[in-house]
Amino acid sequence: MIDSAHDKNLQPFHPKSSGANESLSKDAYFFHKKGDTLFVSSRFEEAKGAYRKSLEAYQKVGDSLAAGLTLTRLGRVLEILGEYGEARQAYQESLRIFQGSSDLQGIARSKAHLGNVGWATGDYQEASNFLQEALSFYHIGGDLAGEAWVHDLMGNLRLAMREDEAAERHYLSSYTLVKKQGERLQVEAWNHFHLGAVALFRSQKDGAKERFSEALQCFVRLNDDLGQVATLIHLGELACSEKNLAEAEQHLQKALRLVLPTRCKPLLADALTGVAQLLKDKKEEKKAISLLMVALSHPTCRQQTK
């Protein structure tokens, strides 16, 4: 799932040591903040390097909790870049740290991320187990935002498993929980997107187009590149299904322009799949088949896309 709002609301640990360790702590904090800034700017490859430097410094100074937080940030970047194996390792290491310190929120966060990796790789039963455990830990801790985030992830998983009614219930549960905390544009954006995905699954094209159009407006206002890409791909697919090829081409070209600088390979695979559909509708079937094979055979292509 692209939305990591709850994770991004976390604050890194401040330097608290003295002498040589103080210098290391300051370096760790600096690189962590730099990684956050690069992440928000969709410069994920650079963010990966910054988080790794932060992690190394926190490990040298012996600040395990800060290292655990940095590992989750690093894992999220690796996941976005399609490096699922390394992402899983980072989340597993963070989970061990948080379990060792009985940090319920940290445990929940790591399990939720592990569940999301399982969704991406098609390990749906493992993903379901991790997400259910994460939901329980967030509930015990009274963390409504965390519960809402996991409900969204569970909705994605259920939709990938072709259980649209269960997916819709999770999405609506998420929206209800977050609405209790007040209006937020990002919440509205993802609610529109997720319900658009459900409508698209049900072949309710008008409802899906309306939802995705609303989501796109929100993502533009948020300067959320990946949110825009995901939405533009769906709008492109809908335009193809309506034989509005000029509109489809416009949406998909914009999606490619936005996703290429981010190096988000899973979304790039999704975009290329949409372009293959466009080429097929343009009667350029050989090009379509070649492009589709490239996209679907790439190791970063999510199972749901396949």
Side-chain angles (χ1 to χ4, degrees):
M1 180 182 183
I2 298 167
D3 179 22
S4 58
H6 186 63
D7 190 43
K8 285 188 283 186
N9 285 339
L10 295 167
Q11 295 300 315
F13 290 70
H14 290 269
K16 59 183 181 181
S17 305
S18 59
N21 279 354
E22 181 180 9
S23 177
L24 278 172
S25 290
K26 287 180 178 179
D27 286 345
Y29 181 72
F30 168 78
F31 283 117
H32 193 128
K33 292 294 291 182
K34 183 178 180 180
D36 288 348
T37 300
L38 291 166
F39 185 102
V40 171
S41 301
S42 300
R43 295 162 63 183
F44 301 114
E45 194 68 45
E46 294 172 76
K48 178 174 69 172
Y51 286 137
R52 279 182 167 157
K53 289 180 180 178
S54 174
L55 176 62
E56 183 180 359
Y58 276 133
Q59 289 173 332
K60 285 182 178 178
V61 82
D63 195 335
S64 60
L65 289 179
L69 173 56
T70 305
L71 279 163
T72 61
R73 299 288 179 89
L74 175 60
R76 182 61 183 145
V77 168
L78 291 165
E79 186 183 341
I80 288 172
L81 292 171
E83 299 172 23
Y84 300 127
E86 289 189 52
R88 182 179 276 113
Q89 289 177 8
Y91 293 144
Q92 288 172 337
E93 191 174 344
S94 72
L95 178 60
R96 286 193 291 271
I97 289 172
F98 292 130
Q99 286 174 329
S101 60
S102 300
D103 183 336
L104 292 185
Q105 189 181 60
I107 293 169
R109 189 185 316 118
S110 297
K111 285 180 177 287
H113 280 305
L114 283 165
N116 203 46
V117 171
W119 161 74
T121 57
D123 299 311
Y124 293 153
Q125 186 57 57
E126 178 186 78
S128 181
N129 293 340
F130 275 126
L131 292 174
Q132 191 58 57
E133 291 168 2
L135 188 64
S136 297
F137 278 108
Y138 275 130
H139 183 72
I140 292 170
D143 189 333
L144 294 182
E147 287 186 64
W149 174 47
V150 175
H151 272 298
D152 271 342
L153 299 181
M154 294 177 84
N156 294 341
L157 176 63
R158 293 303 169 190
L159 197 58
M161 296 171 70
R162 308 186 69 78
E163 300 174 9
D164 58 300
E165 292 184 1
E168 185 176 39
R169 287 195 296 273
H170 281 300
Y171 291 143
L172 292 175
S173 294
S174 173
Y175 187 63
T176 300
L177 285 168
V178 179
K179 286 284 283 187
K180 293 178 181 179
Q181 299 181 316
E183 296 282 345
R184 284 199 305 159
L185 184 60
Q186 190 175 54
V187 171
E188 297 299 325
W190 285 107
N191 183 58
H192 283 305
F193 180 89
H194 289 141
L195 295 183
V198 172
L200 181 60
F201 178 87
R202 294 170 176 170
S203 298
Q204 299 169 349
K205 294 181 182 179
D206 289 343
K209 187 173 183 179
E210 181 180 352
R211 286 287 190 176
F212 287 134
S213 297
E214 290 287 344
L216 182 60
Q217 292 180 37
C218 295
F219 287 132
V220 169
R221 289 171 59 189
L222 289 163
N223 293 316
D224 186 333
D225 291 339
L226 299 190
Q228 290 180 65
V229 171
T231 310
L232 286 164
I233 292 169
H234 284 313
L235 287 170
E237 292 170 343
L238 283 165
C240 278
S241 70
E242 297 170 345
K243 304 306 178 184
N244 190 341
L245 303 187
E247 181 180 323
E249 186 169 357
Q250 181 181 12
H251 287 316
L252 292 169
Q253 282 182 344
K254 188 170 183 181
L256 285 169
R257 284 198 302 270
L258 286 170
V259 75
L260 283 171
T262 71
R263 300 187 184 182
C264 178
K265 299 180 187 70
L267 268 184
L268 177 58
D270 288 350
L272 292 177
T273 302
V275 173
Q277 179 62 52
L278 176 62
L279 290 171
K280 181 177 180 293
D281 291 338
K282 284 184 169 184
K283 311 301 182 185
E284 299 180 38
E285 293 194 1
K286 288 186 178 180
K287 290 183 180 178
I289 292 172
S290 297
L291 187 59
L292 188 62
M293 292 300 292
V294 169
L296 296 183
S297 64
H298 198 277
T300 64
C301 183
R302 290 187 292 246
Q303 183 62 36
Q304 188 173 7
T305 302
K306 298 177 181 179

